[in-house]
Amino acid sequence: MGQRHLLAMYSNFDEAEAVVKELRSTQIKGFDVNRDLIVKSPIEHPEVEEFLGDKPVYVQWFTLGGALMGGLLGFFLISAAQANFFAQFKGGKPIVPLPPNFVLTYEMFILGGVFITVLGFLICAGLPARRSPLYSSTVSEDQIGILVKSDESAANTLKGIFTKHNALEIQEEAGK
Amino acid sequence: MSISNLLENWSQFRHTHPVEDKPHDPYKWAMSIDLDACSGCNACSVACYAENNLPVVGKEKYANGQVMHWIRIEHYWDEDVGEEGGREFPDQGAQFLPMMCQQCEAAPCETVCPVGATNHTPDGLNSQIYNRCIGSRYCSANCPYKVRYFNWYDYPSTENIWPAEMTQQLNPDVTVRGKGVMEKCTFCVQRLAAAKVTAKSEGRIVQDGEVQTACQQACPTSAISFGNLVDPESRVHKQWRAQQVELDKDKQAKDEKEGGTELRGYRILEDMRPYPSVMYLERVRESAI
Amino acid sequence: MKDIREDIAWAKINQDVLKSLENPRKLYWVILFIALAMLGVAVGCEVYQYEVGMGVANMDNPHMWGLYIATFIFWIGMSHSGTLLSAILHLMHADWRKPIYRFAEAMTTFSLLTAGLFVAVHLGRVWQIYYALPYPNERGTWPNFQSPLLWDAMAIFTYLSSSIIFLYVGMIPDLAICRDRIHEGWRKKLYTLLSLGWEGTDRQWRNFRVTYLTVACFLIPLAVSVHSIVASDFGMSQQPGWHITSFPPYFVAGALYSGCAAIITLFIILRYVFRFEEYMTLPILKKIVRLTFAIAMVWTYLNAVEFASVWYSHDQASKDVLIQKASGTYAPFWWAMIFCGSIVPLVLAFKRFQTNIPVLFAVSLLLNLGMWLERWMIVAPTFSHGIYPWTWDHDQWPSFVQWGMVFGSFGWFTLLFMVFCKVFPSVSMYEVKEMVYHRSQQSKKQEETGKFAAAGKGAH
């Protein structure tokens, strides 16, 4: 059976929330609310996360890994470089002096943390992304979009729900 | 491999300096300068210019403070002129102090160089690698004695620094420095290197008096003595010991004695803990002139 | 008065901000032209210095460092308030920062770039600058990791790359707006590329929020460490006037201070040039002004701590340097620093000046002049009156090459900053929408509870 994408636009979060709630409570054949539903909003809106249900974020694990890796790499790279360079004294200090290495380790800790966090963000958020099949530039202005993917058969039910909650506009496209 | 090297030799890499548990061997170059003998004639400075290819910068740059003298004669005057019982002319109380790189054992300049262009050599010199220097001038900023000199201009290509025929008198054993690098007294490292090579090929260490620095050689009053501090037979070693000046102390035991001491040996800015390798002998005469 | 009107339509926000990418006032082009001309002066000076040698800057022994290092610290310091606005105030949920943090962050990035250039022009052999980078090579040589200058290089690299990333990540939703709204052309292509296909989906926002928060958490200790390390350049040395324990907090306070003053200056300029009166409102300006005043007082206190600790330290050399500063060659500049840094900000304590634009513009420039003088007064007097009396020299004066480079750096910074503001949205559109949204929700709630209260009263 063919697939169909639908995008409905709403003018405020309350309507969008009502739609999502209804979609979650209704059993529709050929439509899985956890997989096929995407909410697009112009601002970061914590309530969206609440009404979509708990979806985990893994970015912080990248942060942890990156920061530790950066710190360890920093310390060992620097100490090993000092030990392998002409092992000559400088200013009577030890060849592997700890206070300066701590400073640099600290910087590398942050550097690793920041870089890998952003890498994690790109991976977790799926960026750079292909543009989704349906998009309305009003999302970047002031409207909230609800994008669903479903079997052909479910399309009309979904459209019914969308219009019931005052959708400003509904776009549809036959998916692959 | 680097990390295994790091872990295996950890204690060696954590060794600080200068300490008694691991003294210099077989060389530690040091100097002692008798201020009582110094007459402020500047021959040492001139000899240094000739030996180490120092550029003569000319009046204008000299006035600008851009002079390159690795060893300088500092003049000091007593300031009791005009006071009751004081001197009639300031020059009567003149003193001279030849000042060059003190080759500190824990040199403030070494730690701060971002590229590691200045290091401590095994024979106790504070070395300067011209090729590595990027000219951040941090070493000079942190030098308490301000004895590091920077090539503000490209002297070899500047007119009248070394006119064509004079390039023949440049010392072939010493590089000519281009613009933008730091330089300073090396204790005539080219002579030390040659002497060490000769000695090594004969299977011995350098004898006292075998090698002289240019300034020492030129000094008409033999105020400067130079040699291997480790060698108990050397003049420098004997002088340091006679004056009870120890290399790795930031406060000499003799100075702790109540009522002071008759001994003349001291090191400049010792309490800042650079552990300088040059000992000065205090002047005894009332005036150098 | 409210920080921002709550009834601005979101579409209007887009429109107003995007207009800044299209047609600024004529003053914009005048500023750009002046900046370019100033940069030309610096380029000329650098070419001359590169060809002839550092001597033309009129440095000597003992004046090894001069205006370059002083101005380097100045620009590094300038960068700190961007982080203050975008990271610290973000964690504190101070949402009034939202319309102004984008340009503050751009200021961070560009002032760091300017500071980096000062390291380069300061070097005697700038063509060998890569020796200071820890890159593996066939000779097995590494930079000296003990040197505070190397920590500097590392810290600045970390800070610069992190703040560019932070600026960019925070801008992705806005770039998507630009992509959707702007007419065809090279900029549309640029925004399409940079917005990475952002569509504001729930997954994107969710990860975005965590990322932004995490990076903000990293940036705060980073910013503090960067200026502490710059302070270590001085504090770790043995020179009188530099070897002071209170230097790191003193430097950080000074950095925030000059940064906030610069934010006031740029706020006023941007507000006029790009017609941002709706977003960069006077109540917000008032908040920054108060913040600046508070930091000014912290700086004044730390300054007093420094003098006191030197004065009672029994370190004659340090004391002499302090006396020299107050009474020697540098005295006019030192007292000007005290005046601009500690006396002038008292103006900001008066309510009627807190929103007076001409007064604030003049004051913010004076504050920054004071902060620049502060850096100069840290660097120069120590060289002129060091530990070793024979090298005392109070008469060396920086040549026109040094002054030209300092002058030109302001042009370089302004140029980068102004070009940025014309190419990228300098007010964060999505965050202003958030601010407007949350505030309107709040007032709605208040109205409702007010109604309830009223109804309850009636029923009683």
Side-chain angles (χ1 to χ4, degrees):
Chain A
M1 208 189 284
Q3 291 262 302
R4 189 162 280 271
H5 293 281
L6 289 173
L7 176 71
M9 307 303 298
Y10 292 92
S11 63
N12 62 52
F13 283 106
D14 297 336
E15 287 168 0
E17 184 176 348
V19 174
V20 173
K21 278 194 175 142
E22 180 153 356
L23 287 177
R24 289 176 73 84
S25 57
T26 333
Q27 287 286 329
I28 304 169
K29 199 168 167 281
F31 170 73
D32 178 0
V33 74
N34 286 325
R35 206 187 56 218
D36 298 336
L37 172 74
I38 294 174
V39 176
K40 299 182 178 181
S41 72
I43 63 171
E44 179 205 324
H45 189 62
E47 280 93 341
V48 171
E49 286 178 36
E50 276 167 33
F51 64 67
L52 275 177
D54 260 346
K55 291 200 177 175
V57 177
Y58 297 113
V59 175
Q60 61 272 39
W61 295 108
F62 282 87
T63 309
L64 182 68
L68 289 181
M69 224 169 63
L72 287 175
L73 186 78
F75 184 79
F76 282 105
L77 187 113
I78 290 160
S79 307
Q82 283 163 335
N84 280 303
F85 187 30
F86 305 98
Q88 283 180 313
F89 281 109
K90 286 186 187 70
K93 309 269 194 310
I95 287 167
V96 182
L98 296 179
N101 292 10
F102 171 71
V103 172
L104 291 166
T105 303
Y106 182 77
E107 296 298 324
M108 287 289 282
F109 174 82
I110 291 176
L111 189 69
V114 169
F115 274 46
I116 304 297
T117 303
V118 172
L119 184 72
F121 164 62
L122 295 179
I123 292 171
C124 293
L127 294 174
R130 275 184 185 213
R131 306 297 299 276
S132 54
L134 285 173
Y135 180 69
S136 167
S137 64
T138 48
V139 166
S140 64
E141 203 163 67
D142 56 358
Q143 294 181 3
I144 296 101
I146 296 183
L147 177 69
V148 294
K149 190 175 83 180
S150 70
D151 290 346
E152 295 269 11
S153 58
N156 279 331
T157 332
L158 289 168
K159 246 192 264 181
I161 295 172
F162 287 156
T163 36
K164 196 172 98 193
H165 290 282
N166 307 325
L168 298 172
E169 182 196 347
I170 298 180
Q171 295 181 18
E172 61 181 303
E173 192 200 65
K176 281 150 240 157
Chain B
M1 208 183 94
S2 316
I3 289 176
S4 59
N5 174 29
L6 184 72
L7 297 175
E8 270 165 36
N9 301 312
W10 183 253
S11 61
Q12 190 193 327
F13 293 138
R14 293 291 301 155
H15 173 80
T16 54
H17 197 71
V19 287
E20 282 169 2
D21 69 325
K22 210 173 147 195
H24 284 287
D25 187 43
Y27 298 110
K28 161 63 202 166
W29 303 111
M31 208 174 243
S32 76
I33 299 177
D34 188 349
L35 297 182
D36 206 34
C38 177
S39 63
C41 72
N42 268 308
C44 51
S45 192
V46 173
C48 183
Y49 269 79
E51 171 71 18
N52 291 303
N53 299 339
L54 303 187
V56 180
V57 297
K59 261 187 204 168
E60 204 180 296
K61 285 171 188 159
Y62 189 99
N64 248 347
Q66 292 163 341
V67 62
M68 301 297 285
H69 47 205
W70 283 4
I71 178 168
R72 64 187 184 220
I73 303 293
E74 295 171 359
H75 296 215
Y76 296 99
W77 286 272
D78 275 0
E79 283 171 355
D80 59 353
V81 180
E83 281 171 28
E84 208 170 315
R87 294 182 175 81
E88 200 176 344
F89 304 104
D91 291 17
Q92 285 179 319
Q95 310 197 24
F96 304 106
L97 184 102
M99 177 46 95
M100 81 298 282
C101 175
Q102 305 285 299
Q103 313 288 349
C104 308
E105 281 292 284
C109 55
E110 289 168 1
T111 37
V112 296
C113 175
V115 291
T118 179
N119 293 287
H120 220 65
T121 64
D123 50 355
L125 294 181
N126 173 233
S127 69
Q128 176 75 22
I129 308 167
Y130 306 127
N131 285 337
R132 183 71 180 165
C133 178
I134 58 172
S136 75
R137 310 194 284 290
Y138 200 171
C139 51
S140 175
N142 205 20
C143 174
Y145 311 96
K146 294 279 180 279
V147 283
R148 295 180 145 262
Y149 299 92
F150 189 71
N151 282 276
W152 298 106
Y153 297 93
D154 191 29
Y155 292 115
S157 69
T158 307
E159 237 180 317
N160 290 330
I161 296 286
W162 295 296
E165 56 278 14
M166 273 183 75
T167 54
Q168 297 294 317
Q169 64 90 49
L170 288 174
N171 186 348
D173 293 337
V174 180
T175 56
V176 173
R177 281 79 57 186
K179 75 176 167 193
V181 300
M182 192 60 80
E183 59 184 59
K184 60 163 196 86
C185 167
T186 60
F187 271 2
C188 290
V189 69
Q190 65 281 4
R191 296 186 178 195
L192 302 181
K196 280 202 296 192
V197 168
T198 315
K200 197 177 179 190
S201 64
E202 291 167 14
R204 57 181 175 88
I205 67 163
V206 178
Q207 303 293 308
D208 193 39
E210 195 179 331
V211 57
Q212 285 187 309
T213 60
C215 49
Q216 177 192 18
Q217 201 175 13
C219 182
T221 59
S222 297
I224 301 176
S225 52
F226 171 82
N228 182 3
L229 197 62
V230 178
D231 176 9
E233 295 308 309
S234 72
R235 189 168 166 221
V236 162
H237 180 92
K238 284 175 187 159
Q239 275 177 314
W240 278 57
R241 207 176 47 193
Q243 299 297 332
Q244 295 176 17
V245 174
E246 284 178 66
L247 186 69
D248 53 356
K249 294 278 188 324
D250 59 352
K251 212 177 231 169
Q252 303 299 340
K254 62 170 180 170
D255 296 333
E256 304 282 310
K257 276 185 204 148
E258 239 168 281
T261 151
E262 293 288 297
L263 297 172
R264 301 154 61 211
Y266 70 97
R267 293 187 295 176
I268 296 174
L269 297 178
E270 200 172 48
D271 54 345
M272 294 190 78
R273 296 201 193 126
Y275 305 100
S277 305
V278 180
M279 179 184 72
Y280 288 88
L281 296 168
E282 225 174 315
R283 193 185 51 162
V284 180
R285 289 180 294 143
E286 198 203 353
S287 166
I289 299 175
Chain C
M1 233 168 79
K2 284 174 177 170
D3 288 343
I4 195 160
R5 265 175 49 215
E6 286 158 13
D7 54 345
I8 309 182
W10 290 8
K12 174 102 176 14
I13 296 174
N14 277 4
Q15 234 175 36
D16 284 349
V17 176
L18 289 174
K19 231 170 32 193
S20 74
L21 309 180
E22 303 283 352
N23 57 340
R25 286 186 212 261
K26 280 217 179 63
L27 182 63
Y28 175 84
W29 301 106
V30 175
I31 292 176
L32 210 62
F33 177 76
I34 294 175
L36 205 61
M38 285 166 79
L39 175 62
V41 173
V43 171
C45 290
E46 170 59 16
V47 169
Y48 179 50
Q49 181 183 285
Y50 183 96
E51 283 297 318
V52 182
M54 291 304 294
V56 296
N58 222 6
M59 292 189 227
D60 69 357
N61 189 13
H63 298 92
M64 286 285 166
W65 292 354
L67 300 185
Y68 298 150
I69 291 291
T71 318
F72 160 78
I73 312 169
F74 174 78
W75 284 112
I76 293 275
M78 193 88 124
S79 69
H80 278 58
S81 51
T83 310
L84 172 76
L85 278 181
S86 59
I88 300 182
L89 294 183
H90 176 66
L91 292 188
M92 291 166 73
H93 295 288
D95 70 345
W96 56 267
R97 76 184 183 98
K98 284 180 174 167
I100 55 168
Y101 87 92
R102 174 73 47 76
F103 86 78
E105 246 175 64
M107 194 179 94
T108 296
T109 305
F110 297 129
S111 52
L112 280 173
L113 280 174
T114 315
L117 283 187
F118 270 98
V119 177
V121 298
H122 168 78
L123 288 186
R125 300 207 301 166
V126 60
W127 49 94
Q128 308 287 28
I129 193 169
Y130 61 92
Y131 282 179
L133 304 177
Y135 65 98
N137 58 66
E138 76 282 8
R139 298 187 191 96
T141 50
W142 293 90
N144 176 13
F145 296 104
Q146 291 182 41
S147 168
L149 271 192
L150 198 87
W151 309 347
D152 249 0
M154 187 67 211
I156 291 169
F157 172 74
T158 307
Y159 195 26
L160 180 62
S161 55
S162 301
S163 43
I164 289 176
I165 284 177
F166 195 48
L167 176 64
Y168 171 60
V169 168
M171 209 160 55
I172 291 177
D174 273 0
L175 290 170
I177 298 177
C178 295
R179 173 199 65 200
D180 290 346
R181 300 277 145 204
I182 205 138
H183 52 80
E184 291 296 326
W186 66 272
R187 287 208 282 189
K188 181 146 187 136
K189 280 184 196 138
L190 179 74
Y191 298 140
T192 310
L193 191 73
L194 290 181
S195 59
L196 303 177
W198 177 273
E199 288 186 350
T201 66
D202 51 301
R203 178 185 174 197
Q204 287 168 346
W205 278 120
R206 204 165 45 236
N207 288 294
F208 179 85
R209 183 172 54 84
V210 177
T211 306
Y212 199 80
L213 191 70
T214 315
V215 179
C217 290
F218 273 121
L219 271 185
I220 297 165
L222 176 60
V224 172
S225 79
V226 168
H227 224 58
S228 304
I229 286 175
V230 173
S232 313
D233 282 351
F234 301 95
M236 297 266 169
S237 80
Q238 291 189 330
Q239 301 301 307
W242 288 359
H243 191 64
I244 297 168
T245 323
S246 69
F247 256 30
Y250 174 53
F251 270 53
V252 173
L256 293 175
Y257 184 16
S258 66
C260 281
I263 283 181
I264 296 177
T265 315
L266 293 176
F267 183 102
I268 292 168
I269 294 175
L270 285 188
R271 178 184 149 92
Y272 177 75
V273 167
F274 292 120
R275 304 181 176 91
F276 280 149
E277 287 86 351
E278 284 268 34
Y279 306 99
M280 301 188 177
T281 58
L282 293 181
I284 293 179
L285 183 59
K286 201 170 177 177
K287 289 196 167 82
I288 316 169
V289 167
R290 287 174 172 181
L291 188 65
T292 311
F293 176 72
I295 296 173
M297 292 303 111
V298 171
W299 178 82
T300 305
Y301 167 72
L302 285 168
N303 224 359
V305 166
E306 190 210 313
F307 301 154
S309 62
V310 168
W311 193 254
Y312 294 109
S313 69
H314 291 285
D315 179 5
Q316 196 54 43
S318 304
K319 233 162 140 176
D320 285 350
V321 172
L322 187 61
I323 294 168
Q324 270 304 311
K325 284 179 186 172
S327 64
T329 330
Y330 294 107
F333 306 105
W334 193 78
W335 288 107
M337 161 197 119
I338 301 274
F339 176 74
C340 292
S342 297
I343 311 288
V344 172
L346 294 177
V347 172
L348 303 179
F350 295 97
K351 230 177 194 166
R352 70 186 140 134
F353 294 125
Q354 284 174 352
T355 50
N356 185 329
I357 290 209
V359 170
L360 285 180
F361 192 69
V363 166
S364 67
L365 288 179
L366 276 179
L367 297 187
N368 256 326
L369 175 68
M371 292 315 291
W372 183 83
L373 286 171
E374 182 223 350
R375 275 60 181 257
W376 188 28
M377 286 306 104
I378 287 171
V379 175
T382 290
F383 282 107
S384 72
H385 203 85
I387 308 166
Y388 200 72
W390 200 79
T391 61
W392 287 347
D393 173 7
H394 299 147
D395 302 322
Q396 195 71 357
W397 191 249
S399 76
F400 74 93
V401 177
Q402 287 195 51
W403 289 109
M405 220 89 90
V406 171
F407 177 73
S409 73
F410 287 88
W412 162 251
F413 171 78
T414 313
L415 187 71
L416 288 177
F417 184 76
M418 282 304 185
V419 168
F420 173 87
C421 290
K422 179 86 171 58
V423 177
F424 296 103
S426 49
V427 170
S428 170
M429 289 178 268
Y430 75 97
E431 275 173 296
V432 171
K433 288 176 191 170
E434 278 167 24
M435 184 180 174
V436 171
Y437 179 71
H438 290 302
R439 295 209 168 194
S440 64
Q441 292 292 99
Q442 243 167 17
S443 53
K444 224 187 259 172
K445 247 186 227 162
Q446 268 168 8
E447 259 171 47
E448 270 168 23
T449 47
K451 255 184 219 160
F452 270 123
K457 225 179 196 173
H460 204 62

